[in-house]
Amino acid sequence: MKQERWPGLIFAGVLLFFYVPMVVVVANSFNASRFGTRWQGFTFDWYAKLFADRGIWDAFVNTLIVGGAASLAAVVLGTLSALCLHRARGFLLRFKFGLVYLPLAVPDILMGISLLLMFVMVRVELGFTTIILAHGCFCTSYVAMVVLARLQDFDFSTMEAARDLGASPVQAGLRVLFPQLAPGIFSGALLAFSLSVDDYVITFFVAGPGATTLPLRVYSMIKHGAPPLINALSTLILAATFLLVGLALRFRNKEHTP
Amino acid sequence: MKRRGNDVTTWLLGLPGLLWLLALFVVPTLLVVLIAFKPSDLYGGTQAGWTVAAWGKLWSPGFGRILLRTLGLALLTTLLCLVPSVPCAYFLARQPPQRRNLWLLLVILPFWTSLLVRVLAWKVLLHPEGFFKKVLVWLYLVDANAVLLYNTPTVLLVQVYAFLPFALLPIYAAAEKVDFTLMEAARDLGAGPAAAFFRIFVPAVAGGIWGAVAMVFIPALGSYVIPDLVGGPSSELIGNKIAQRTFTDRNLPLAAALATCLMLAVLPPMLLALGRRRGNREGLY
């Protein structure tokens, strides 16, 4: 059958649409012109200025702390939730699945405003703790979904075999189930971490005056204009994303070819 | 190991996550609805007692316009994301595996790229002195004084840009499983390429299309970042109003009432998506 040409053309158009804006940002980050209107020569100045900016370093460190703490909480709670979901039947399954699924579907701004209102009502001071709690909430759902998908491929008869051979339930869990689940838990953690370090809207609502994360910083730079610096920072974020996605995919492909 | 009820272990495994999500998701959500009926005080908090004052303030033509704009823009965004996604998914699914993985990678990368960075890219591109503007002026498509930023069409453009990968991937996941010999059979039986595409391929990926609708329409209803960064006062959405009531004039009951409206708007598509998800628990991941 002759292959039609137009789906390919549409796909090429979509790729151009995706990448042209990103290429312009990357190019401008090396452009000596302050407003990026025309090419005035190649420079690393914006990167040098960026690395000299203490505020950005602080925000970067804050982001890593929040991402680490939130994904740690999410990995524990999400994995337990996935194990529960896999075993549950009837009401518990429906209720728990809804509870895990809805935070994934709800728009960020609703999660942000509702958490802010609760923190205000119970008089928790806004700051690191509230950001970590908020991120830990949506990250838990993501980890649970990833681990649940992994559990569906797990052959539970190996657990029964371990039990028949004299392993205690805990031993069987730790030495048979856990090693099989580990890649799923790891990719769930990676997903949780990347969502946390990327989150703006929810963080914006629950961050106090003292705790600034990188996305909050990036946002105010975009909003109030710091053109060349933000291009350089964005280029670094793009590079980090591409690197991480590449690693994650390589990791997953390796796993699929035994 | 077939069981009917749930044993103690299952409950114990579920309990920590259950309490965590109850405290950080269910309670705050219910609190939003309650606070919408509280009187505000002068210090940005709430007072004792109950009132519908916040709802009275919402009842205005201005708010009706914002609600309609939010709904309309979310619908248009969803539609404009679906239209190119379906043929792209078709194209990807028909590629030989080696090349397909490369193309797929190029779709997954923007999916994972920071939303803020991608919005910034358009701000740079559409800047009054920017590259895109110059091209358009050179082509005599716009006037040299035209402003390309801070209006509603730009918000729509950037939303489509931001959400397109979220529409493409679920449709591709469905397209990957389509049996293309059916299309060949349709062609052999005399259907034209368009008929085979619309009557065999599109119905076969309907599940993916619904997934894409959920992935685009729901977040588009709650859109805040994009209208705030590339929109103007005439393109404010309900999300912007929630943020303004929260941070600019600190009227929490009014912000809560707005959030309740948004919740009511996203509830039907969300329950629909949840129903579909339970049928097929594998989903995207």
Side-chain angles (χ1 to χ4, degrees):
Chain A
M1 189 175 82
K2 191 179 153 288
Q3 196 75 46
E4 301 85 0
R5 193 171 287 160
W6 54 272
L9 287 176
I10 294 175
F11 185 68
V14 164
L15 284 187
L16 275 178
F17 180 55
F18 279 161
Y19 286 97
V20 167
M22 295 193 208
V23 170
V24 170
V25 168
V26 173
N28 263 332
S29 77
F30 298 108
N31 185 351
S33 156
R34 188 164 166 72
F35 296 102
T37 48
R38 66 170 60 89
W39 189 256
Q40 290 183 354
F42 186 90
T43 178
F44 276 123
D45 276 7
W46 310 123
Y47 289 90
K49 285 211 172 74
L50 190 68
F51 283 114
D53 189 323
R54 268 218 67 85
I56 288 176
W57 278 111
D58 289 345
F60 179 65
V61 172
N62 287 350
T63 306
L64 294 184
I65 295 173
V66 168
S71 27
L72 195 67
V75 160
V76 176
L77 293 160
T79 305
L80 291 177
S81 294
L83 287 169
C84 163
L85 277 173
H86 192 73
R87 299 167 60 108
R89 303 285 176 272
F91 167 76
L92 180 62
L93 173 64
R94 281 198 300 276
F95 181 69
K96 176 100 189 179
F97 190 82
L99 202 56
V100 169
Y101 178 74
L102 287 179
L104 304 180
V106 88
D108 287 354
I109 193 158
L110 279 182
M111 198 178 262
I113 179 84
S114 61
L115 282 166
L116 172 72
L117 290 175
M118 183 178 77
F119 292 142
V120 168
M121 287 300 125
V122 299
R123 293 176 205 284
V124 182
E125 203 178 326
L126 298 180
F128 263 115
T129 324
T130 50
I131 302 179
I132 292 170
L133 285 173
H135 287 202
C137 173
F138 67 82
C139 288
T140 296
S141 293
Y142 280 101
V143 174
M145 285 299 176
V146 175
V147 177
L148 184 61
R150 187 86 200 175
L151 270 171
Q152 268 153 5
D153 301 331
F154 178 70
D155 181 5
F156 269 88
S157 59
T158 54
M159 283 279 276
E160 283 166 48
R163 294 298 308 281
D164 288 345
L165 293 170
S168 73
V170 175
Q171 272 178 325
L174 284 179
R175 303 191 48 184
V176 179
L177 180 60
F178 182 72
Q180 290 271 334
L181 272 191
I185 297 174
F186 180 72
S187 55
L190 204 65
L191 177 66
F193 185 77
S194 62
L195 288 165
S196 167
V197 299
D198 191 36
D199 177 74
Y200 168 73
V201 175
I202 297 170
T203 316
F204 171 62
F205 274 88
V206 300
T212 297
T213 64
L214 203 55
L216 292 185
R217 189 87 198 181
V218 169
Y219 198 88
S220 75
M221 282 166 85
I222 299 177
K223 185 110 181 152
H224 305 116
L229 276 194
I230 179 72
N231 287 337
L233 183 54
S234 298
T235 302
L236 293 178
I237 294 175
L238 276 175
T241 313
F242 285 19
L243 204 75
L244 275 177
V245 171
L247 277 177
L249 287 182
R250 168 154 293 205
F251 176 73
R252 207 172 66 185
N253 289 344
K254 238 190 214 140
E255 208 188 292
H256 278 300
T257 45
Chain B
M1 270 223 303
K2 287 267 178 246
R3 291 165 285 105
R4 287 216 145 264
N6 295 299
D7 57 10
V8 183
T9 321
T10 311
W11 278 98
L12 282 179
L13 284 170
L15 204 59
L18 218 56
L19 292 176
W20 178 252
L21 290 171
L22 277 175
L24 291 172
F25 182 70
V26 177
V27 170
T29 305
L30 296 176
L31 212 56
V32 169
V33 182
L34 283 183
I35 289 176
F37 293 96
K38 284 280 186 188
S40 60
D41 70 13
L42 293 171
Y43 313 104
T46 57
Q47 300 177 47
W50 302 96
T51 172
V52 288
W55 296 92
K57 278 193 196 145
L58 276 192
W59 193 255
S60 68
F63 177 65
R65 265 201 302 277
I66 285 178
L67 205 60
L68 278 179
R69 190 186 297 139
T70 307
L71 278 174
L73 217 56
L75 278 173
L76 264 178
T77 304
T78 311
L79 197 72
L80 290 179
C81 284
L82 288 181
V83 168
S85 290
V86 177
C88 284
Y90 175 83
F91 171 79
L92 282 171
R94 303 227 60 176
Q95 291 294 301
Q98 208 61 47
R99 222 178 314 157
R100 185 198 303 185
N101 282 341
L102 173 68
W103 294 140
L104 206 56
L105 177 69
L106 289 176
V107 177
I108 290 172
L109 285 173
F111 181 93
W112 283 108
T113 303
S114 156
L115 174 71
L116 294 185
V117 169
R118 300 198 298 138
V119 177
L120 166 82
W122 278 97
K123 242 188 135 162
V124 172
L125 213 57
L126 298 177
H127 189 270
E129 301 285 317
F131 169 74
F132 200 58
K133 168 85 178 281
K134 289 201 166 149
V135 173
L136 291 180
V137 171
W138 184 72
L139 291 169
Y140 292 102
L141 282 174
V142 300
D143 187 73
N145 298 318
V147 180
L148 299 177
L149 277 169
Y150 313 121
N151 54 46
T152 312
T154 306
V155 174
L156 179 64
L157 171 77
V158 179
Q159 296 214 118
V160 171
Y161 181 72
F163 294 132
L164 193 53
F166 294 84
L168 218 171
L169 288 176
I171 300 179
Y172 165 72
E176 202 186 24
K177 300 189 187 89
V178 169
D179 178 4
F180 283 98
T181 54
L182 287 175
M183 284 189 78
E184 279 158 41
R187 294 299 304 276
D188 287 345
L189 293 169
F197 182 80
F198 285 107
R199 298 184 56 186
I200 306 285
F201 180 73
V202 174
V205 295
I209 293 179
W210 282 112
V213 169
M215 294 278 280
V216 176
F217 184 63
I218 298 170
L221 278 176
S223 189
Y224 159 68
V225 165
I226 296 170
D228 192 48
L229 287 178
V230 301
S234 66
S235 43
E236 282 177 341
L237 303 181
I238 193 163
N240 303 77
K241 287 290 161 196
I242 294 175
Q244 283 167 15
R245 296 297 83 83
T246 310
F247 294 104
T248 315
D249 41 65
R250 192 75 182 181
N251 186 336
L252 293 184
L254 195 49
L258 285 161
T260 308
C261 291
L262 179 55
M263 241 180 242
L264 290 176
V266 298
L267 204 60
M270 243 166 62
L271 291 179
L272 227 91
L274 177 63
R276 298 193 58 88
R277 267 305 273 261
R278 265 224 313 277
N280 163 33
R281 289 212 299 199
E282 287 175 31
L284 246 185
Y285 296 108

